[in-house]
Structures are given as C-alpha cells and as structure tokens.
Amino acid sequence: MAEAFVGRTAELGYLRKRLDRVTSSGAGVAVALRGRRQVGKSRLVQEFCDRAGVPYLFHTAVKGSSQVEALTAFSAELRESMLPRDRELIPAAAPANWPDAFRLLASALPASPSAVVLDEVPWLAEQDEQFDGALQAAWDRLLRDRPVLLLLLGSDLHMMERLTAYDRPFFGRADNMVLGPLNPGDVAGALGLTGADAIDAHLVCGGLPGIVRAWPHGTPAAAFLEAECEDPASPLFSIPESALMAEFPAPDQAKRVLEAVGGGDRTQANIAATAGGRQGPLPSGVVSPLLRKLAEEKRVLAIDEPLSTHPGKPNLYRIADSNLRLYLAALRSAQEQARRGRPQAAYAVVKRRWASWRGRAVEPLVREALELAALGGELPWPSVEAVGGWWNRQFDPEVDLVGADRGPIAQRIDFAGSVKWLGTPFDNHDLSKLARGAAAVPGYEPGTTGLAAVSLSGVAPNADTGQLTLVWGPQQVLSAWQ
C-alpha cells in the first residue's frame, strides 16, 4: 500500500511559513483552506499539526447538529486539547454562544505559538447566522494580537469563498489557500509506477488520497480495478459515492444534469435532452443556471471553450474530478454487480468502457502537462501560455490540442496537436487527419504553426515524423509534474 501520508510537500511548506510568521512576529495569522470533499484537507492539516510541535486545538463541525451541540463539543475539545495550561480553568458548562466560545478560546491560548483548526466552517455558519460576525470580532479583538495560527477549513467551495469575500465580515483577514487533488507525479511516487501506468492510476483515483492509500504498491490500474470489483465497499466506489450523496442527496434536476454529463453528454443541448423527462428536454432557462451552478459554485463540472484567434462555440462540459467521472461512467454500474456477488461481471463493465473513457479523460491531463512544460520553457514555442482544444458547431473537425499565447481568444496559435491514447501507434493516417483539422483552426498559419502528437503507443516507424515539431509519450506527460 502507499504510505499513510502522500505528497503535499509544497502545501506543508505554505503552512509552515505562516507558523514561522506567527513565531517571529508574535501576532496571529489566519488561513482559509478550501477544497473538494475527500481531497485531504483535514489529513493535511492534522499532519501539519503533528509535525509542527506546537499546542493545537482541532475542532470538526458536524453537519446538521444544533448550535448547542456544536458549542458543547467545542468546549469539550478545548478542555482536552494541549492549549490550556490548566484544564480545570475551562468550565464544564458549554458557552452560551460563539462570542463566549471564542472568549473562552482566547483565555486558553498559551503565550507561545499555537494553532487552532476549525474544520467544516460552512457547517458552523449554517447553525448560526451570526457565526461569521462572531469570528471576525473575536479575531480582531482577541486573537489577532496573539501568537496563534487560525486554520479555517471547508468543503463547500462557494461558501468558503464567500467567507472572505469583500462584503463579508472576515474580508482581508485570512490568506486563501486552495487544496487540489494529488498531482500525477505525487501519485506515481506513492504507488511506484511510471509512464502510462502512473497516468492510468491518476485517472482512476482522481488524485484522491483515500483511494491512493488503498492501492497496493506497484499495481497497474487494470489489476487494481479487477481486485476492487470483488469489494463493493472499496474506497474506489465508496469515496465517489459519498461525495455524490453529500453534494446531491436528492434526485433533483441538478443531479440529473450531472449524471448526463457523467454519461458522456458534453453540449448543453445534449445534456438538456438527457436530463429532461417525458415532457422533453429541460428548457434553456433551467439547464443554463444549473450548469453555471455546478461549474462555478459546486466546481463539480469543468467548462472547455474552443481555443483559437476567433470566438468559438459551443462550450463543452465535463466532470472535473476524473474519479467521479469514472464512477458515473462505469464504476457505479460495476458496484451494483459487485453488490450482487458478481465481481467478474463488475470488472467486465469497467473493462468494456475503459478504452473510450480513458481516451477522453486523458485529454485535460495532457493539456495541463503541456501548459506546465510551456511555463517551464520546455516546449519549442516560448510564447505558449494556454493549451486547449478546438472544434466547430458540427465537431468536424475536432482538434485535441491547440497551443496559444492566451485563451480562450488568442492572438497567436503556435501549435495544433492530436492525443491518441490507444494501443496502436500514431501513424500517417492520424497525421493526415491532424493536418486537415489544424488547417481549419482560426489562426493556423501553414509553415509556421507547428504540429504535435501525444501518443500512448508512440509513433509508427513509417510515419512522416518530419511534419511533427513535438512528439510526446506517457513519460513526457508525467514528467511535467516531476
């Protein structure tokens, strides 16, 4: 299995830097840390507290609990923490409200540096509409001038952004930190995999630490998937299932829209048709706000826009987290088979859908890798800052890769490319198709704009590679994070 704690060297460094600031200045520092469920926020902060060697309080809110229950739990955890010099000074009775609770916290803080963690802050704010104001007042009057690192964690990305928005009480008082999934390099290092195996592993786990920890060291994705299909309670299934239930507990229109995207629909029209009922497709006035909410507030969807020197349509939607994307496309059906005691049928479902799913799912990863390489000066085109794709309304042609000086409307197109993530190499047929498609991209200049191929199985020996400025395989993609 992977190590208990994987990667996050940079993130631990960010937190350590702020604790060092507390130590050197003797004043408080607040950090608002947000990230999707199961991405490892609590685990990261717990690891930091364990390594920091300072007294700390770690309070986790419980969704749906009352304010009285929350205050009682907070007081009990404060009494049992390492913060108070004398636990008998913490009253047995719970404070009446959050202002009193924060005064109690301030009285327990030591003179030396310490840390206070409030996990799932949005749930605390749900219990008491005055919580934000109480937190701001406590920070300004009681905590800011003390040597304390205040860490505010939350999985509701929109509410965590609102916590420090300009029109909210805590505006300007906290550093904002976003925790994303483990990157492919971290996953590769944790699992002892390289090249295509490491990329497959990242696509399957989505960079979620809970799945990485359950993954046997050195095991390729196919073997892991087959083994996990024998266990319907595996983290491979339970983590995306729980995330889906937490975000969308009711079978409403938003969930139907999400499932339509997870099933392979990419355009608004197709999504509306699939998510609609017997009355027909969802009206544009319904589906458009839902798509915006899922993308901008929930951050469960990602929006891809065609990249060229001219504005383009349509926008395409996809599930942002590749593990949830695989769950909706195949793992949910496989889990049902596994629950019925049919592990072979479960794996057959995944295997049957794997190649086509992986071919689409890897494209955003390749684009991100090329952007990282461009920013590191490792591509032949020094002006590239954005890498996307291009398509017209008929999706004929559809170009997998477009590198430009900016996006989504560029001034200059530096390269167009193809991603072929199949068991056969990139050949002259693929090259001809790429050349025809690239010529249709607004901003493409024959003889100036380069061509690129990113292929799982390399390039065929007889391919006319002289037309290709860049050829990448799996290891080059992975190296962007290593």
Side-chain angles (χ1 to χ4, degrees):
M1 300 293 178
E3 295 180 4
F5 188 79
V6 177
R8 305 299 195 196
T9 302
E11 290 85 351
L12 288 169
Y14 299 153
L15 295 175
R16 183 73 231 188
K17 178 181 178 181
R18 282 149 180 83
L19 182 59
D20 290 343
R21 192 194 307 167
V22 170
T23 303
S24 61
S25 68
V29 172
V31 177
L33 172 60
R34 65 183 186 271
R36 290 193 58 77
R37 300 185 194 283
Q38 300 291 342
V39 83
K41 300 179 298 298
S42 303
R43 184 67 183 87
L44 167 69
V45 172
Q46 183 63 63
E47 184 72 16
F48 167 74
C49 291
D50 291 342
R51 296 185 185 188
V54 298
Y56 68 90
L57 165 68
F58 200 122
H59 172 68
T60 302
V62 177
K63 186 174 180 60
S65 66
S66 68
Q67 182 182 0
V68 172
E69 292 170 326
L71 291 167
T72 300
F74 179 84
S75 177
E77 289 166 356
L78 177 59
R79 187 184 306 109
E80 296 302 319
S81 75
M82 296 180 289
L83 291 183
R85 291 169 305 215
D86 185 353
R87 292 176 180 173
E88 298 303 319
L89 297 177
I90 305 297
N97 49 49
W98 279 109
D100 287 349
F102 288 133
R103 280 191 287 271
L104 187 62
L105 170 64
S107 70
L109 289 177
S112 58
S114 62
V116 172
V117 183
L118 299 180
D119 197 0
E120 291 301 354
V121 169
W123 293 349
L124 296 175
E126 284 179 1
Q127 298 159 5
D128 181 2
E129 62 181 13
Q130 304 299 322
F131 176 82
D132 287 9
L135 178 65
Q136 174 261 317
W139 178 253
D140 289 350
R141 300 172 187 174
L142 303 172
L143 304 177
R144 185 172 57 187
D145 295 328
R146 305 288 296 277
V148 60
L149 177 62
L150 176 64
L151 300 175
L152 307 171
L153 281 55
S155 300
D156 189 318
L157 304 184
H158 180 65
M159 287 188 69
M160 285 300 293
E161 288 180 342
R162 290 289 299 146
L163 177 70
T164 56
Y166 74 94
D167 59 343
R168 303 292 291 213
F170 218 67
F171 172 69
R173 290 168 172 82
D175 295 340
N176 287 292
M177 182 175 170
V178 180
L179 188 67
L182 296 168
N183 67 50
D186 287 336
V187 172
L191 300 181
L193 298 174
T194 59
D197 286 337
I199 293 171
D200 283 350
H202 188 271
L203 292 176
V204 169
C205 74
L208 301 179
I211 299 176
V212 174
R213 287 195 294 271
W215 197 302
H217 192 80
T219 303
F224 175 72
L225 287 166
E226 185 172 14
E228 297 307 285
C229 282
E230 298 178 0
D231 178 9
S234 162
L236 178 68
F237 302 121
S238 62
I239 286 179
E241 180 184 41
S242 63
L244 195 62
M245 289 301 297
E247 295 278 8
F248 307 97
D252 58 5
Q253 289 177 331
K255 190 171 184 179
R256 296 206 306 273
V257 166
L258 178 68
E259 290 176 339
V261 179
D265 292 312
R266 298 189 295 162
T267 65
Q268 179 171 318
N270 289 343
I271 294 166
T274 301
R278 294 180 180 178
Q279 294 75 26
L282 291 178
S284 177
V286 173
V287 73
S288 292
L290 286 176
L291 288 169
R292 280 198 304 272
K293 180 178 180 180
L294 292 172
E296 297 173 8
E297 295 185 20
K298 295 290 189 180
R299 307 292 173 86
V300 70
L301 293 186
I303 304 174
D304 295 323
E305 302 178 69
L307 174 59
S308 73
T309 55
H310 294 166
K313 292 288 184 182
N315 292 343
L316 300 181
Y317 298 87
R318 58 181 166 84
I319 305 295
D321 168 20
S322 64
N323 173 252
L324 182 58
R325 186 176 183 177
L326 182 59
Y327 179 78
L328 291 171
L331 292 181
R332 182 166 55 176
S333 298
Q335 186 183 25
E336 288 302 317
Q337 296 291 338
R339 284 172 172 161
R340 293 162 57 189
R342 305 179 64 195
Q344 293 179 339
Y347 180 59
V349 170
V350 179
K351 189 176 180 179
R352 185 166 56 249
R353 303 176 188 179
W354 172 252
S356 61
W357 178 86
R358 179 178 64 172
R360 282 287 185 192
V362 79
E363 290 179 6
L365 199 68
V366 171
R367 292 168 184 159
E368 185 180 356
L370 286 165
E371 277 192 0
L372 289 172
L375 293 173
E378 299 170 10
L379 294 186
W381 307 282
S383 64
V384 169
E385 293 188 8
V387 178
W390 182 83
W391 49 89
N392 56 23
R393 291 184 181 275
Q394 295 75 38
F395 295 95
D396 183 22
E398 186 173 355
V399 180
D400 300 330
L401 302 172
V402 174
D405 59 342
R406 66 185 188 186
I409 304 175
Q411 289 185 319
R412 171 189 172 92
I413 301 297
D414 284 301
F415 73 88
S418 174
V419 178
K420 186 175 184 180
W421 216 254
L422 297 171
T424 55
F426 186 91
D427 57 21
N428 282 326
H429 173 75
D430 299 309
L431 181 59
S432 297
K433 182 179 178 182
L434 169 61
R436 290 194 302 271
V441 178
Y444 174 83
E445 298 181 10
T448 302
T449 305
L451 296 179
V454 181
S455 173
L456 173 66
S457 304
V459 177
N462 62 344
D464 184 8
T465 55
Q467 296 186 51
L468 295 171
T469 312
L470 181 75
V471 177
W472 267 20
Q475 193 56 46
Q476 284 77 20
V477 175
L478 185 62
S479 295
W481 289 274
Q482 294 179 323

